[in-house]
């Protein structure tokens, strides 16, 4: 018996879906519950945690496992679980994945009917607002910074970068929602002002991509920046701290930048990603796995 039974579709799965499931399993390890992952496959082998896609097969598995939660990812697992939901004695959680992760979605009458029976949680990659956020690509922790052309501080940021020899890229917001693989390989930090900080969940998305955010906020509102966790806040580009943050970012080792990038992803995951989803089930996080906070 497991606290949670997770069903996903391994048939024709791509590397993005496989990584998502691996990351999801790793996050569950942080919490005090037992989880079993079972994949839809072309053959049934409970020893290998795989079953053929059928309502009877899933119902038999659920009755044998007796979980408190049945969690499904993808159109086919969602449909099967929704259709047997009247016979379930556990809580059902169905999740709609983005197309780049799942491929072509099932648009059959059964899938549409299942969607009416049980409402899906939706996962997105930053291109549109969804229930949860999981990025397709993440930062390579480059020493270069980025800022938006639409930012009212863009000229000031650029002039300062040129004066202090800071490697930078000026990009349109549209190129950031979501970013290309090339962009996140070339950029390691986002500099943004409070004038557009609330637009399109910019800060949350940047952290999900693995980018710490240096926020210029004359009124010193943090807009979701948790100092030392997912970025830093200054009131003006004239502050010595502003220059120091940029120079420190460019001067630190690649390993240190990668560690900060990873912690930014953890921060976003806690608020709108995998960790947020796992914690919503109500199980406590293991104390020995609690994260430390960066204060650099």
């Amino acid at each position: 018996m497991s606290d949670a039974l997770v069903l996903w579709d391994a048939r024709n799965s791509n590397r993005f879906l496989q990584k998502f499931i691996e990351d999801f399993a790793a996050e569950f390890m942080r919490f005090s519950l037992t989880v079993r992952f079972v994949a839809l496959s072309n053959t049934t082998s409970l020893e290998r945690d795989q079953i053929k896609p059928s309502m009877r097969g899933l119902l038999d598995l659920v009755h044998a496992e007796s979980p408190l939660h049945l969690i499904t990812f993808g159109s086919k697992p969602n449909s099967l679980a929704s259709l047997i939901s009247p016979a379930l004695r556990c809580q059902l959680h169905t999740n709609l994945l983005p197309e780049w992760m799942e491929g072509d979605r099932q648009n059959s009458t059964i899938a549409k009917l299942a969607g009416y029976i049980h409402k899906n949680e939706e996962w997105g990659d930053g291109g549109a607002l969804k229930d949860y956020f999981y990025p397709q690509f993440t930062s390579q922790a480059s020493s270069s910074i980025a800022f938006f052309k639409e930012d009212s501080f863009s000229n000031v940021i650029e002039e300062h970068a040129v004066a202090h020899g800071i490697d930078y890229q000026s990009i349109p917001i549209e190129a950031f929602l979501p970013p290309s693989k090339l962009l996140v390989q070339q950029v390691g930090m986002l500099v943004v002002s409070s004038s557009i900080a609330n637009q399109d969940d910019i800060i949350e998305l940047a952290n999900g991509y693995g980018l710490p955010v240096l926020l210029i906020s004359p009124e010193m509102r943090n807009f979701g920046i948790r100092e030392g966790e997912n970025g830093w806040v200054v009131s003006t580009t004239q502050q010595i701290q502003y220059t120091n943050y940029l120079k420190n970012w460019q001067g630190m080792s690649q390993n240190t930048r990668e560690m900060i990038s990873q912690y930014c992803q953890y921060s976003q995951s806690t608020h709108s990603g995998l960790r947020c989803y796992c914690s919503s089930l109500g199980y406590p996080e293991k104390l020995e796995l609690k994260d430390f906070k960066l204060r650099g």
Side-chain angles (χ1 to χ4, degrees), residues 114 150 213:
E150 297 89 341
V213 177

Side-chain angles (χ1 to χ4, degrees), residues 202-221:
I202 288 296
I203 293 175
E204 194 77 358
L205 295 180
N207 289 161
Y209 303 144
L211 305 176
V213 177
L214 178 53
L215 173 65
I216 305 166
S217 178
E219 63 276 26
M220 287 305 289
R221 290 180 58 194

Side-chain angles (χ1 to χ4, degrees), residues 90-253:
C90 61
Q91 190 170 353
L92 176 60
H93 314 263
T94 58
N95 294 267
L96 189 64
L97 300 175
E99 291 186 8
W100 55 266
M101 193 184 296
E102 185 179 13
D104 292 334
R105 288 177 181 159
Q106 185 183 45
N107 292 316
S108 66
T109 302
I110 292 179
K112 293 178 181 177
L113 177 61
Y116 288 117
I117 294 174
H118 192 274
K119 183 181 182 299
N120 298 313
E121 299 282 4
E122 291 193 56
W123 290 78
D125 61 356
L129 187 62
K130 302 294 183 182
D131 297 305
Y132 294 96
F133 169 45
Y134 182 84
Q136 182 176 11
F137 302 114
T138 54
S139 173
Q140 300 299 304
S142 162
S143 61
S144 180
I145 69 168
F147 58 88
F148 297 123
K149 293 179 179 179
E150 297 89 341
D151 198 322
S152 60
F153 276 68
S154 61
N155 290 338
V156 176
I157 296 171
E158 183 171 18
E159 290 171 2
H160 186 279
V162 171
H164 292 272
I166 304 296
D167 187 25
Y168 71 90
Q169 288 194 36
S170 175
I171 61 174
I173 292 179
E174 185 178 292
F176 197 70
L177 303 171
S180 66
K181 182 178 181 180
L182 180 62
L183 176 60
V184 292
Q185 285 179 338
Q186 294 178 340
V187 171
M189 175 192 285
L190 178 67
V191 181
V192 65
S193 78
S194 58
S195 65
I196 59 171
N198 272 341
Q199 184 171 334
D200 297 307
D201 293 318
I202 288 296
I203 293 175
E204 194 77 358
L205 295 180
N207 289 161
Y209 303 144
L211 305 176
V213 177
L214 178 53
L215 173 65
I216 305 166
S217 178
E219 63 276 26
M220 287 305 289
R221 290 180 58 194
N222 60 26
F223 291 91
I225 293 293
R226 296 166 290 281
E227 190 80 20
E229 291 186 37
N230 61 338
W232 305 272
V233 183
V234 295
S235 61
T236 172
T237 57
Q238 302 304 312
Q239 280 185 263
I240 187 63
Q241 291 95 328
Y242 177 80
T243 303
N244 288 343
Y245 287 140
L246 295 179
K247 287 188 173 181
N248 288 345
W249 179 256
Q250 300 228 312
M252 66 179 58
S253 69

